[in-house]
Amino acid sequence: MNNKNVILFSQFINEFGSGFSRIALIILVTDWFHNPVYVGILTFGVFVPEILLAAPIGYFVDKKAHLKSLLIQSSIASAISVIIIFLCVYFNLRNFVLLVICAVIYDIFSGFFDPIIVKLTVHLFEKNDYNKINSATSTARTSAGLFSGVLVTVFTSFMPIDYLFLFDFLSYVVISLVLLGLSEQSMVTQALRGNTGEEYKSNVWNSFGFVKQLLRDFPPLVPVLVTALLFNILLAPNSVYFSQISGEVFQNVKLMGVMDSFFSFGFLAGSVIYRFTYERVRIHTFLQISIVQVPASFLLFGESQNIISTLIGLLLLGSALPFFNISSKTVLQRVIPESKLATVSNSYFSLINLTQPIGLLGIPILINLFGIRVFSLVAGIAYLGLTLVILTTGKISTALD
């Protein structure tokens, strides 16, 4: 396999295996402790290290000369940590603290995968290929997530839950073997744009410092970051939207699974469309399209009382995310010095993820007070107004291309 295929296949297997553990952990905690508070603590316990360790992990990746060996080592470490979780389940060690510690360690090691892949993309491919690699990666990961979700649903009906962790362990074994075929010979030296230089001197624990310097050196990224922060707040409680629409609007909670599937298929469709149109559509245009799709889809699926229109709105919403995410990742790969790419890009995305609790905690309260239809109407109109301001003032600049 060539480098592109090795990266895509490893991404597919990584997302496929992680999907088993991700779902299995929630099922396990729910089954063992019968208390939603434990699920919340587990989620929070995994979420915090992802934010706090984003810059240090990126910094560690940037300091390593041989990314292939680091990727294999982190995959082996992830395999060891997930097999420890498997043993806890196999021997029925119902210790919540131990389970959380194992889950956090697993999440930390698996957190090395994305920044290494982001940097390898720059290290191994030409700048004009970043869009193609990123869109292909998004397609592979989304397909794997959908596939593993279906299989987990089937397997849990007749298979012990500890087998799900074993499948994830085997996926890391496969990844490690596949990565042996990766050729790390550099094809290009990252060309820098703007005034980025080598001026990223923030404390390694200060993700905000790295992002502040990035925005100072490349101002066209500011409206993209602001939009991303709003995206993350608005889209964080997706499951709440699906449950409220299925239950309150259509009085059929079984539709929740259908809605989630349509949203996921929209994401996959957006990734595929990006992959085949990136040569004809510029990055700033993809970003403009995506920020129009979000309020349009909210008004469509939130206000409609027709299930077909609602599902079309969810497809539209799902497809907006790869348009935005792939474009944002490509811009970062082009403007950040390769020597600091993992540190700064990891810090950028951790800042965006930091807004998730706002949406997860705040929006359900608003929906509970005003109802899903009123909320979606107000949110859709407000976001549409902001979108029109951004577009008419030209804030999404051609400099992003």
Side-chain angles (χ1 to χ4, degrees), residues 11 114-115 117-119 121-122 130-131 133-135 137-138 141 221 224 274 283 287 322-336 341 345 348-349:
Q11 286 272 47
D114 283 347
I117 293 296
V118 167
K119 190 158 183 175
T121 301
V122 171
Y130 298 168
N131 284 45
I133 301 299
N134 292 335
S135 58
T137 297
S138 179
R141 295 184 63 166
L221 201 57
V224 179
Y274 199 113
I283 285 179
L287 291 169
F323 285 1
F324 192 91
N325 294 342
I326 297 169
S327 299
S328 300
K329 182 187 291 187
T330 302
V331 171
L332 293 179
Q333 288 171 325
R334 289 179 175 178
V335 303
I336 300 172
L341 178 60
S345 63
Y348 179 88
F349 290 117

Side-chain angles (χ1 to χ4, degrees), residues 53-347:
L53 297 179
I57 288 175
Y59 182 81
F60 187 81
V61 171
D62 282 328
K63 290 299 181 182
K64 288 293 182 179
H66 302 290
L67 295 175
K68 172 183 173 179
S69 60
L70 178 60
L71 193 54
I72 294 174
Q73 290 165 9
S74 63
S75 296
I76 294 173
S78 298
I80 293 172
S81 57
V82 79
I83 204 65
I84 293 174
I85 298 176
F86 165 78
L87 292 174
C88 289
V89 182
Y90 184 80
F91 291 108
N92 201 27
L93 300 177
R94 301 195 179 196
N95 186 310
F96 181 68
V97 174
L98 177 62
L99 190 62
V100 170
I101 292 173
C102 291
V104 169
I105 293 173
Y106 168 72
D107 199 63
I108 290 172
F109 284 126
S110 60
F112 280 84
F113 201 90
D114 283 347
I116 297 175
I117 293 296
V118 167
K119 190 158 183 175
L120 273 174
T121 301
V122 171
H123 187 65
L124 296 174
F125 302 99
E126 298 286 351
K127 184 168 66 174
N128 292 334
D129 290 333
Y130 298 168
N131 284 45
K132 178 170 64 177
I133 301 299
N134 292 335
S135 58
T137 297
S138 179
T139 303
R141 295 184 63 166
T142 307
S143 302
L146 285 171
F147 189 31
S148 64
V150 171
L151 288 181
V152 168
T153 302
V154 174
F155 288 165
T156 50
S157 63
F158 66 88
M159 186 180 293
I161 197 170
D162 49 350
Y163 278 58
L164 300 182
F165 296 106
L166 191 58
F167 287 148
D168 193 13
F169 166 77
L170 293 175
S171 74
Y172 280 111
V173 174
V174 173
I175 289 171
S176 300
L177 294 175
V178 169
L179 289 173
L180 292 174
L182 185 69
S183 173
E184 206 173 3
Q185 181 180 359
S186 178
M187 291 174 53
V188 295
T189 299
Q190 169 73 345
L192 307 182
R193 206 159 64 161
N195 300 315
T196 49
E198 296 286 343
E199 299 177 3
Y200 293 96
K201 300 183 183 300
S202 178
N203 183 289
V204 71
W205 294 95
N206 183 8
S207 296
F208 299 105
F210 289 113
V211 176
K212 181 180 178 181
Q213 292 176 67
L214 171 64
L215 299 180
R216 180 197 65 201
D217 292 338
F218 193 66
L221 201 57
V222 174
V224 179
L225 175 60
V226 172
T227 306
L229 294 172
L230 293 174
F231 265 26
N232 224 36
I233 294 173
L234 197 60
L235 301 182
N238 265 348
S239 58
V240 177
Y241 301 146
F242 301 156
S243 64
Q244 288 295 304
I245 293 172
S246 60
E248 298 299 323
V249 178
F250 297 107
Q251 286 81 46
N252 185 357
V253 292
K254 293 181 179 179
L255 288 174
M256 184 175 172
V258 177
M259 292 180 182
D260 185 65
S261 297
F262 267 76
F263 175 80
S264 299
F265 281 122
F267 198 108
L268 179 60
S271 300
V272 173
I273 291 170
Y274 199 113
R275 184 176 181 180
F276 289 102
T277 61
Y278 76 92
E279 292 182 333
R280 297 185 296 275
V281 182
R282 301 174 75 182
I283 285 179
H284 84 280
T285 305
F286 273 121
L287 291 169
Q288 290 173 333
I289 293 172
S290 67
I291 66 173
V292 171
Q293 282 180 254
V294 172
S297 58
F298 254 78
L299 292 172
L300 187 59
F301 80 74
E303 286 303 301
S304 175
Q305 292 185 297
N306 180 283
I307 186 60
I308 302 299
S309 298
T310 298
L311 296 178
I312 292 174
L314 292 174
L315 280 172
L316 190 65
L317 182 63
S319 64
L321 297 184
F323 285 1
F324 192 91
N325 294 342
I326 297 169
S327 299
S328 300
K329 182 187 291 187
T330 302
V331 171
L332 293 179
Q333 288 171 325
R334 289 179 175 178
V335 303
I336 300 172
E338 185 181 343
S339 62
K340 301 291 185 181
L341 178 60
T343 306
V344 180
S345 63
N346 235 28
S347 299

